[in-house]
Amino acid sequence: DAMVIQNPRYQVTQFGKPVTLSCSQTLNHNVMYWYQQKSSQAPKLLFHYYDKDFNNEADTPDNFQSRRPNTSFCFLDIRSPGLGDAAMYLCATSPGQGAYNEQFFGPGTRLTVL
Amino acid sequence: AQTVTQSQPEMSVQEAETVTLSCTYDTSESDYYLFWYKQPPSRQMILVIRQEAYKQQNATENRFSVNFQKAAKSFSLKISDSQLGDAAMYFCAFLEPQGGSEKLVFGKGTKLTVNP
Protein backbone atom coordinates (compact mmCIF):
# COMPACT_ATOMS: atom_id res chain seq x y z
CA ASP A 1 0.00 0.00 0.00
CA ALA A 2 1.16 3.50 -0.77
CA MET A 3 2.03 5.27 2.43
CA VAL A 4 4.04 7.73 4.49
CA ILE A 5 6.68 6.11 6.67
CA GLN A 6 8.53 7.69 9.55
CA ASN A 7 11.61 6.33 11.24
CA PRO A 8 12.25 5.88 14.00
CA ARG A 9 8.88 5.84 15.76
CA TYR A 10 10.57 6.75 19.04
CA GLN A 11 13.78 8.72 19.38
CA VAL A 12 15.61 9.61 22.55
CA THR A 13 18.40 12.16 22.45
CA GLN A 14 20.39 14.18 24.91
CA PHE A 15 20.15 17.89 25.41
CA GLY A 16 22.21 19.55 22.70
CA LYS A 17 22.96 16.35 20.76
CA PRO A 18 21.97 16.63 17.07
CA VAL A 19 19.24 14.32 15.91
CA THR A 20 17.75 13.47 12.51
CA LEU A 21 14.25 12.22 11.88
CA SER A 22 13.36 10.49 8.64
CA CYS A 23 10.28 10.46 6.43
CA SER A 24 9.72 8.52 3.25
CA GLN A 25 6.74 8.20 0.97
CA THR A 26 5.61 5.84 -1.73
CA LEU A 27 2.84 8.15 -2.95
CA ASN A 28 5.10 10.08 -5.33
CA HIS A 29 3.69 13.33 -3.96
CA ASN A 30 5.29 16.65 -4.77
CA VAL A 31 4.86 18.24 -1.37
CA MET A 32 6.26 17.06 1.96
CA TYR A 33 5.53 18.75 5.29
CA TRP A 34 6.99 18.60 8.76
CA TYR A 35 4.80 19.36 11.77
CA GLN A 36 5.60 19.57 15.46
CA GLN A 37 2.84 18.43 17.79
CA LYS A 38 3.15 18.86 21.53
CA SER A 39 0.92 17.04 23.94
CA SER A 40 -2.78 17.88 23.60
CA GLN A 41 -2.07 20.54 20.99
CA ALA A 42 -2.73 20.93 17.29
CA PRO A 43 0.08 20.19 14.85
CA LYS A 44 2.25 23.19 14.11
CA LEU A 45 3.77 23.47 10.65
CA LEU A 46 7.55 23.86 10.70
CA PHE A 47 8.29 23.89 6.96
CA HIS A 48 7.52 22.15 3.73
CA TYR A 49 9.02 21.29 0.38
CA TYR A 50 7.27 21.68 -2.93
CA ASP A 51 9.52 19.48 -5.04
CA LYS A 52 12.95 20.95 -4.26
CA ASP A 53 11.64 24.34 -3.16
CA PHE A 54 11.97 24.81 0.59
CA ASN A 55 9.39 26.91 2.43
CA ASN A 56 10.15 27.80 6.03
CA GLU A 57 7.52 29.08 8.44
CA ALA A 58 8.41 32.47 9.86
CA ASP A 59 8.35 31.29 13.46
CA THR A 60 10.31 28.07 12.99
CA PRO A 61 13.49 28.26 15.08
CA ASP A 62 16.83 28.14 13.27
CA ASN A 63 17.58 25.03 15.29
CA PHE A 64 15.32 23.12 12.90
CA GLN A 65 16.55 22.30 9.41
CA SER A 66 15.31 20.06 6.65
CA ARG A 67 16.67 18.20 3.65
CA ARG A 68 14.91 16.56 0.74
CA PRO A 69 17.46 14.66 -1.33
CA ASN A 70 14.85 13.17 -3.64
CA THR A 71 11.08 12.90 -4.11
CA SER A 72 10.71 10.01 -1.70
CA PHE A 73 12.70 11.16 1.31
CA CYS A 74 12.66 14.15 3.61
CA PHE A 75 14.68 14.65 6.80
CA LEU A 76 14.21 16.84 9.83
CA ASP A 77 17.44 17.85 11.53
CA ILE A 78 17.42 19.34 15.00
CA ARG A 79 20.87 20.79 15.49
CA SER A 80 20.85 21.30 19.26
CA PRO A 81 17.73 19.86 20.84
CA GLY A 82 16.40 21.56 23.92
CA LEU A 83 13.94 20.22 26.45
CA GLY A 84 11.24 22.26 24.75
CA ASP A 85 11.74 20.36 21.53
CA ALA A 86 10.36 17.16 23.01
CA ALA A 87 7.26 16.48 20.93
CA MET A 88 5.70 14.28 18.30
CA TYR A 89 7.00 15.14 14.83
CA LEU A 90 4.60 14.42 12.00
CA CYS A 91 5.48 14.14 8.34
CA ALA A 92 2.77 14.63 5.74
CA THR A 93 2.56 14.64 1.97
CA SER A 94 0.18 16.00 -0.61
CA PRO A 95 -0.02 15.74 -4.39
CA GLY A 96 0.58 19.46 -4.88
CA GLN A 97 -1.49 19.71 -8.01
CA GLY A 98 -5.03 19.25 -9.14
CA ALA A 99 -8.09 19.68 -7.04
CA TYR A 100 -7.44 17.03 -4.44
CA ASN A 101 -5.60 18.71 -1.61
CA GLU A 102 -5.65 16.14 1.15
CA GLN A 103 -2.56 15.75 3.27
CA PHE A 104 -1.51 12.22 4.12
CA PHE A 105 0.18 11.81 7.46
CA GLY A 106 2.79 9.40 8.70
CA PRO A 107 2.55 7.78 12.14
CA GLY A 108 4.94 10.29 13.67
CA THR A 109 8.20 10.14 15.59
CA ARG A 110 8.03 10.83 19.30
CA LEU A 111 11.16 12.68 20.38
CA THR A 112 12.32 12.63 23.98
CA VAL A 113 15.10 14.99 25.08
CA LEU A 114 16.98 14.05 28.24
CA ALA B 1 -4.71 35.10 8.51
CA GLN B 2 -7.13 32.23 8.67
CA THR B 3 -8.12 30.90 12.07
CA VAL B 4 -9.98 27.77 13.08
CA THR B 5 -11.84 27.50 16.38
CA GLN B 6 -13.04 24.35 18.05
CA SER B 7 -14.94 25.42 21.13
CA GLN B 8 -15.31 21.96 22.68
CA PRO B 9 -12.04 20.68 24.17
CA GLU B 10 -13.75 17.45 25.17
CA MET B 11 -16.93 15.62 24.26
CA SER B 12 -18.40 12.28 25.22
CA VAL B 13 -21.06 10.09 23.66
CA GLN B 14 -22.68 6.78 24.40
CA GLU B 15 -21.99 3.97 22.01
CA ALA B 16 -24.56 3.85 19.15
CA GLU B 17 -25.66 7.44 19.75
CA THR B 18 -24.99 10.58 17.74
CA VAL B 19 -22.57 13.37 18.55
CA THR B 20 -21.80 16.67 16.85
CA LEU B 21 -18.43 18.40 17.02
CA SER B 22 -18.32 22.12 16.34
CA CYS B 23 -15.90 24.11 14.25
CA THR B 24 -15.88 27.72 13.10
CA TYR B 25 -13.33 29.45 10.96
CA ASP B 26 -12.46 32.89 9.77
CA THR B 27 -11.36 33.75 6.27
CA SER B 28 -11.87 36.39 3.64
CA GLU B 29 -11.42 33.86 0.85
CA SER B 30 -14.27 32.36 -1.14
CA ASP B 31 -12.42 29.29 -2.42
CA TYR B 32 -11.09 26.90 0.19
CA TYR B 33 -11.32 23.42 1.63
CA LEU B 34 -12.29 22.19 5.06
CA PHE B 35 -11.31 18.91 6.64
CA TRP B 36 -11.96 16.86 9.71
CA TYR B 37 -9.00 14.74 10.77
CA LYS B 38 -9.08 12.00 13.37
CA GLN B 39 -6.08 11.20 15.55
CA PRO B 40 -6.58 8.03 17.63
CA PRO B 41 -4.39 7.28 20.64
CA SER B 42 -1.87 5.62 18.30
CA ARG B 43 -1.41 9.17 16.94
CA GLN B 44 -1.63 8.65 13.17
CA MET B 45 -3.71 11.42 11.69
CA ILE B 46 -6.42 10.12 9.36
CA LEU B 47 -8.72 12.12 7.12
CA VAL B 48 -12.36 11.66 8.07
CA ILE B 49 -14.12 13.94 5.63
CA ARG B 50 -13.48 16.94 3.38
CA GLN B 51 -15.67 19.72 2.05
CA GLU B 52 -15.02 22.05 -0.85
CA ALA B 53 -16.35 25.51 -0.14
CA TYR B 54 -17.86 25.89 -3.61
CA LYS B 55 -20.07 22.84 -3.05
CA GLN B 56 -23.33 23.58 -1.29
CA GLN B 57 -24.07 19.93 -0.64
CA ASN B 58 -22.81 18.67 2.69
CA ALA B 59 -20.21 15.92 2.47
CA THR B 60 -21.02 12.48 3.83
CA GLU B 61 -18.81 9.47 4.45
CA ASN B 62 -20.71 6.53 5.89
CA ARG B 63 -21.50 7.44 9.53
CA PHE B 64 -19.76 10.81 9.26
CA SER B 65 -21.43 13.88 7.85
CA VAL B 66 -20.87 17.61 8.00
CA ASN B 67 -23.09 20.62 8.35
CA PHE B 68 -21.35 23.28 6.27
CA GLN B 69 -22.73 26.78 6.67
CA LYS B 70 -20.57 29.00 4.48
CA ALA B 71 -22.17 32.30 5.42
CA ALA B 72 -21.84 31.52 9.10
CA LYS B 73 -18.34 30.06 8.57
CA SER B 74 -19.34 26.96 10.44
CA PHE B 75 -18.29 23.36 9.71
CA SER B 76 -19.60 20.84 12.24
CA LEU B 77 -19.03 17.09 12.16
CA LYS B 78 -21.80 14.65 13.01
CA ILE B 79 -20.93 11.10 13.95
CA SER B 80 -23.90 8.75 13.86
CA ASP B 81 -24.10 5.35 15.54
CA SER B 82 -20.91 6.08 17.48
CA GLN B 83 -18.50 3.19 17.91
CA LEU B 84 -15.75 2.60 20.45
CA GLY B 85 -13.22 3.00 17.64
CA ASP B 86 -14.38 6.56 17.08
CA ALA B 87 -12.68 7.62 20.30
CA ALA B 88 -9.92 10.01 19.29
CA MET B 89 -8.85 13.63 18.97
CA TYR B 90 -10.70 15.30 16.14
CA PHE B 91 -9.12 18.26 14.40
CA CYS B 92 -10.94 20.65 12.12
CA ALA B 93 -8.64 22.12 9.47
CA PHE B 94 -8.81 24.84 6.83
CA LEU B 95 -6.87 24.93 3.60
CA GLU B 96 -6.68 27.72 1.08
CA PRO B 97 -5.60 26.70 -2.41
CA GLN B 98 -2.23 28.21 -3.30
CA GLY B 99 -1.26 26.40 -6.47
CA GLY B 100 -0.18 23.22 -4.76
CA SER B 101 1.85 24.32 -1.75
CA GLU B 102 -1.06 24.75 0.57
CA LYS B 103 -0.90 24.89 4.33
CA LEU B 104 -3.40 23.37 6.72
CA VAL B 105 -4.56 25.54 9.58
CA PHE B 106 -5.74 23.35 12.43
CA GLY B 107 -8.09 24.01 15.29
CA LYS B 108 -6.99 22.98 18.78
CA GLY B 109 -8.93 19.75 18.60
CA THR B 110 -11.79 18.02 20.41
CA LYS B 111 -11.15 14.91 22.42
CA LEU B 112 -14.03 12.48 21.88
CA THR B 113 -14.73 9.74 24.38
CA VAL B 114 -17.13 6.94 23.50
CA ASN B 115 -18.73 5.23 26.48
CA PRO B 116 -19.82 1.59 26.18
Side-chain angles (χ1 to χ4, degrees), chain A residues 9 31 33 35 37 41-43 45 48 50 55 57 88 90 94 96 99-103 105-107 110, chain B residues 33 35 37 39 42-47 50 52 89 91 95 97 99-104 106-109:
Chain A
R9 294 293 307 277
V31 193
Y33 304 83
Y35 291 88
Q37 186 179 25
Q41 296 185 21
L45 183 64
H48 71 278
Y50 191 114
N55 299 270
E57 293 302 295
M88 179 72 82
L90 301 174
S94 71
Y100 197 65
N101 296 305
E102 176 186 350
Q103 289 190 16
F105 285 83
R110 180 171 293 283
Chain B
Y33 299 83
F35 303 87
Y37 278 90
Q39 192 176 39
S42 67
R43 305 300 290 267
Q44 182 149 14
M45 195 87 72
I46 303 167
L47 179 69
R50 72 193 290 263
E52 292 90 339
M89 282 291 289
F91 291 98
L95 185 147
S101 193
E102 294 87 0
K103 304 174 189 178
L104 278 174
F106 286 93
K108 291 187 175 182

Side-chain angles (χ1 to χ4, degrees), chain B residues 3 11 17 26 28 38 43-44 55 58 67 71 104 110:
Chain B
T3 60
M11 292 282 286
E17 296 192 345
D26 187 24
S28 57
K38 170 185 177 183
R43 305 300 290 267
Q44 182 149 14
K55 290 186 177 180
N58 289 323
N67 183 4
L104 278 174
T110 297

Side-chain angles (χ1 to χ4, degrees), chain B residues 3-15:
Chain B
T3 60
V4 177
T5 302
Q6 293 180 249
S7 59
Q8 307 151 315
E10 296 188 22
M11 292 282 286
S12 64
V13 62
Q14 290 296 124
E15 196 175 5

